[in-house]
Amino acid sequence: MQTIINKFNVSSSGEDLFLSWRDEFQLRQQIRGAADWEGVRLDSSEEFDFLKRALYYGPRKEVFFAILYQNMTSLPILNCVREASSTFIVEFLRFIAGHILKQNP
């Protein structure tokens, strides 16, 4: 999954908007099919937004929240979560509570 995020960073830096959209569409499909999300590192709000478009608005919302949870030490990601809608924040906090209970610390 990290390689797909890296491909997104490369494709989004292009000048042709329509090619960027096409590439992003293909990368979102690849992200949805990826199974290995452990250790994924998000470094920017653009990566946050890309993963949100790919995972949050579909059946893999739990994976998106798990990736966010493991990136809570990143200031840009914390800012993205803080600036999100109240519905998003409530869903994320509910996920965190359940995730911590599953880990049984």
Side-chain angles (χ1 to χ4, degrees), residues 72-85:
M72 285 287 91
T73 57
S74 170
L75 186 58
I77 303 308
L78 284 173
N79 287 334
C80 289
V81 172
R82 184 179 52 85
E83 294 169 357
S85 70

Side-chain angles (χ1 to χ4, degrees), residues 12-65:
S12 65
S13 63
E15 292 183 17
D16 189 344
L17 183 62
F18 293 107
L19 284 177
S20 295
W21 285 348
R22 186 197 67 196
D23 292 344
E24 182 180 327
F25 177 73
Q26 292 170 348
L27 292 172
R28 279 187 288 168
Q29 289 178 326
Q30 291 175 16
I31 283 275
R32 289 179 187 130
D36 183 29
W37 54 268
E38 294 290 329
V40 171
R41 182 82 184 130
L42 300 178
D43 295 318
S44 68
S45 60
E46 291 82 11
E47 292 175 357
F48 171 87
D49 291 336
F50 169 66
L51 277 184
K52 186 176 181 183
R53 288 189 299 272
L55 299 173
Y56 177 73
Y57 298 110
R60 306 222 34 213
K61 189 182 292 191
E62 298 266 331
V63 172
F64 177 65
F65 285 151

Side-chain angles (χ1 to χ4, degrees), residues 1-13 23-24 27 30 47 50:
M1 188 175 284
Q2 189 68 49
T3 58
I4 298 170
I5 293 171
N6 294 338
K7 288 179 187 177
F8 165 74
N9 287 328
V10 170
S11 72
S12 65
S13 63
D23 292 344
E24 182 180 327
L27 292 172
Q30 291 175 16
E47 292 175 357
F50 169 66

